[in-house]
Amino acid sequence: MEVSVKINGAAQSHDVEPRMLLVQYIREVVGLTGTNIGCDTSSCGACTVHLNGESVKSCTVLAAQVDGMEVETIEGLAGDDGSLHPVQQAFHECHALQCGYCTPGMVMASVSLIEENSSMTEDDVREGLEGNLCRCTGYHNIVKAVLQASEVSQ
Amino acid sequence: MIPANFDYVQVDTVDEAIQALGEHGDEAKLIAGGHSLLPLMKFRLATPAYLVDINRLDDLKYVRDSGDYLAVGALTRHCDVEKNDLIVSNAGVLAKATHNVGDPQVRHRGTIGGAIAHGDPASDIPSALLALKATVVVNGPEGEREINIENFFTGFLETDLNEDEMLTEIRVPKLPDAKWSFQKFNRRAQDWAIVGASIVCGEGHAGVGLVNMHSVPFRSESVESALLNGANAEEAGELAAEGTEAPSDLNASRDYREHLSRVLVRRGLQEAGR
Ligand SMILES: Cc1cc2nc3c(=O)[nH]c(=O)nc-3n(C[C@H](O)[C@H](O)[C@H](O)COP(=O)(O)OP(=O)(O)OC[C@H]3O[C@@H](n4cnc5c(N)ncnc54)[C@H](O)[C@@H]3O)c2cc1C
Ligand code: FES
Ligand code: FES
C-alpha cells in the first residue's frame, strides 16, 4: 500500500507492506539510520521518534498508520547549519552518553517531555524517561542534561 | 520481529468499522493504539487476516460532562485521560491509574477503549473503572448497548463484545467528593503491576478493583461489603484475597500475590481515609 508521510519536513511516498513497522520504514526504506532498534518489544525506547510532535516507540507503530502524518527523527533536530538542538547541546555538555546507542531515543523522548512540561524537577525527569533504557551511563548525566535543557528552553 | 501478513483498512466512521468487522468475522481485528495488539502480532500470538484501523475516528476522542457521569470516547489516548481536568477532579483514581500505564511514549498511543477491550487482568485501567462502577457503551449492527464494567470481562483476554461490535464510550460516574487511592506494586518503573488496587470510598459508595488477581479484572465484593458495613482499613484489607484466583508466574507466586493484595488494599484504604 502507498504511504505518504513527511519525515523531518521532507515529503516521502513509498509502496510498503501493511505489516512493515515504522522503525523499519524509517531505517530501511527512507534510509535514516539514526533511529535505533534495541529491544523490538516496546520496552527500551531506542526507537523513539515524534509522530505529529509526540514521542512514540516506532517499533510499535505500523508504517501504514502514519500515512498523512508528520514524523521527526533525530536527524531532524539540528539546524541546517549544523547547530545542535538545545537538548543535543546539553547531552554534549553534560557527557550524557557513553556508547551512544540509547541516545537518539533518549534525546527524542526528552524533547517531547520538555515540550509537555514547562518546569520539571529531577524526579519528573526520571519518571518522564522511564520508557528509555540506558545500559552505560547510570542515567545521572542524562537527567542533568535534560534539566539543563529544560531551563534553557524556558 | 515482523507480524504475519494481513490486509489493512482504515475506517472513518463507527459504521464502517462495524461493517468491516461484520464482513470478516473472527479473521478481523480492530487496531486502536496498537500497544497491546502489535506486540502480540509481532510474537505471532495474534495473526489477524484483516486489521481495521480506527485511529482516524476523531469523533471518539473526547471527555465530556454528561450530568451524572463523564463520557469518555473509546479512542481517547492515555495521555489525554491522565491530564484531563474533568477526570482529575471527578474520577481521580482513573487519572492516576492511567498515569501509571507504561511510559509517556506508550501513553501517547494507547487508548482507554483498547485497554478495556483487550480484557487483560494485568491492566491498570479496568481496576479504576471497576472501583468507580463505570459502564461501557458498545455499538454493533443492532445499535447500541450499555454494559456494567464488571459484566464486560468474561474470561482471560475475553470480553462480552461480539465479533461485529466495538466499544465506543466509557461512562464514568462523577464522584468529586469521594476519597480514592491507586496502588501498584512492580519492580521497575515502567512495568506492569505484579498486583494493583484501585479504591474509591464515597457517600454510600465502596469500590475496590484489583489488578492481576484473577483471570479477569477483579472486583472485590468482599472488601466492598465489609466497607459498607463499617469495617476499617485493617479489617477490610484482610479480605482482599477472598474470591481471587491469582496466577503464579515468574514475578510472583499465588500466595505472594494474595499477600500483596491484602497489603495494597489496606494501604489504599488508609490513604482513602478509612
Ligand atoms: C511497553 C508497554 C508497557 C505497558 N504498560 C502497561 C501498564 O503498566 N499498565 C497497563 O494497564 N497497560 C500497559 N500497557 C498496555 C497499554 O495500556 C495499551 O495501550 C492498552 O492496553 C491497549 O490499548 P491500545 O489502544 O493500544 O489497544 P490495541 O492494542 O490497539 O487493541 C487491544 C485490543 O483491543 C481491541 N480494541 C481496541 N479498541 C477497541 C474498541 N474501541 N472496540 C473494540 N475493540 C477494541 C483490539 O482489537 C485488540 O484486541 C503497556 C503497553 C506497552 C507496549
Ligand atoms: S526498539 Fe522500540 S522500544 Fe525498544
Ligand atoms: S549510552 Fe550506551 S546505552 Fe545509553
Side-chain angles (χ1 to χ4, degrees), chain B residues 13-24:
Chain B
T13 64
V14 171
D15 286 345
E16 276 174 40
I18 291 167
Q19 202 184 339
L21 290 176
E23 273 165 32
H24 301 296

Side-chain angles (χ1 to χ4, degrees), chain A residues 1 17-19 21 24 39-45 48 51 54-57 59-62 64-69 105 109 112-113 116 127-133, chain B residues 1-8 10 31-35 38-39 41-44 51 53 55-56 77 79-80 83 99 101-109 188-190:
Chain A
M1 64 172 291
E17 274 192 273
R19 61 178 172 164
L21 303 171
Q24 268 185 295
C39 63
D40 204 4
T41 55
S42 53
S43 303
C44 74
T48 301
L51 192 54
E54 290 178 330
S55 59
V56 301
K57 293 176 171 176
C59 69
T60 313
V61 177
L62 298 169
Q65 293 186 287
V66 306
D67 184 47
M69 299 176 82
S112 177
L113 188 66
E116 287 178 16
E127 202 198 324
L129 292 179
E130 64 190 331
N132 292 72
L133 304 181
Chain B
M1 291 173 303
I2 312 294
N5 251 322
F6 54 82
D7 283 338
Y8 172 85
Q10 269 178 8
I31 180 165
H35 272 52
L38 282 176
M41 289 172 63
K42 288 169 75 177
F43 284 122
R44 310 257 169 141
L51 213 52
D53 191 338
N55 276 280
R56 314 255 154 157
R77 301 205 192 269
C79 59
D80 296 323
K83 292 177 196 139
H99 179 70
V101 168
D103 51 56
Q105 291 99 311
V106 171
R107 297 197 295 274
H108 283 146
R109 288 299 289 168
R188 294 171 311 182
Q190 62 157 189

Side-chain angles (χ1 to χ4, degrees), chain A residues 85-108:
Chain A
H85 182 282
V87 175
Q88 291 174 307
Q89 187 65 35
F91 268 60
H92 175 73
E93 284 169 15
C94 299
H95 189 58
L97 57 145
Q98 289 176 25
C99 80
Y101 199 85
C102 69
T103 311
M106 211 49 106
V107 169
M108 295 310 283

Side-chain angles (χ1 to χ4, degrees), chain B residues 40-60:
Chain B
L40 287 180
M41 289 172 63
K42 288 169 75 177
F43 284 122
R44 310 257 169 141
L45 295 171
T47 51
Y50 294 88
L51 213 52
V52 182
D53 191 338
I54 53 176
N55 276 280
R56 314 255 154 157
L57 298 188
D58 291 335
D59 292 356
L60 292 188

Side-chain angles (χ1 to χ4, degrees), chain B residues 77-158:
Chain B
R77 301 205 192 269
H78 301 327
C79 59
D80 296 323
V81 169
E82 66 178 304
K83 292 177 196 139
N84 182 278
D85 288 341
L86 282 172
I87 294 181
V88 169
S89 49
N90 291 293
V93 72
L94 176 60
K96 181 85 183 282
T98 305
H99 179 70
N100 268 271
V101 168
D103 51 56
Q105 291 99 311
V106 171
R107 297 197 295 274
H108 283 146
R109 288 299 289 168
T111 66
I112 186 167
I116 303 167
H118 196 52
D120 190 341
S123 175
D124 299 315
I125 291 167
S127 74
L129 294 171
L130 282 165
L132 288 159
K133 305 192 192 290
T135 63
V136 298
V137 178
V138 308
N139 275 67
E142 264 93 68
E144 179 179 295
R145 60 195 180 102
E146 188 174 351
I147 310 164
N148 274 337
I149 187 88
E150 65 165 313
N151 299 329
F152 184 70
F153 305 109
T154 53
F156 183 68
L157 304 187
E158 282 177 15

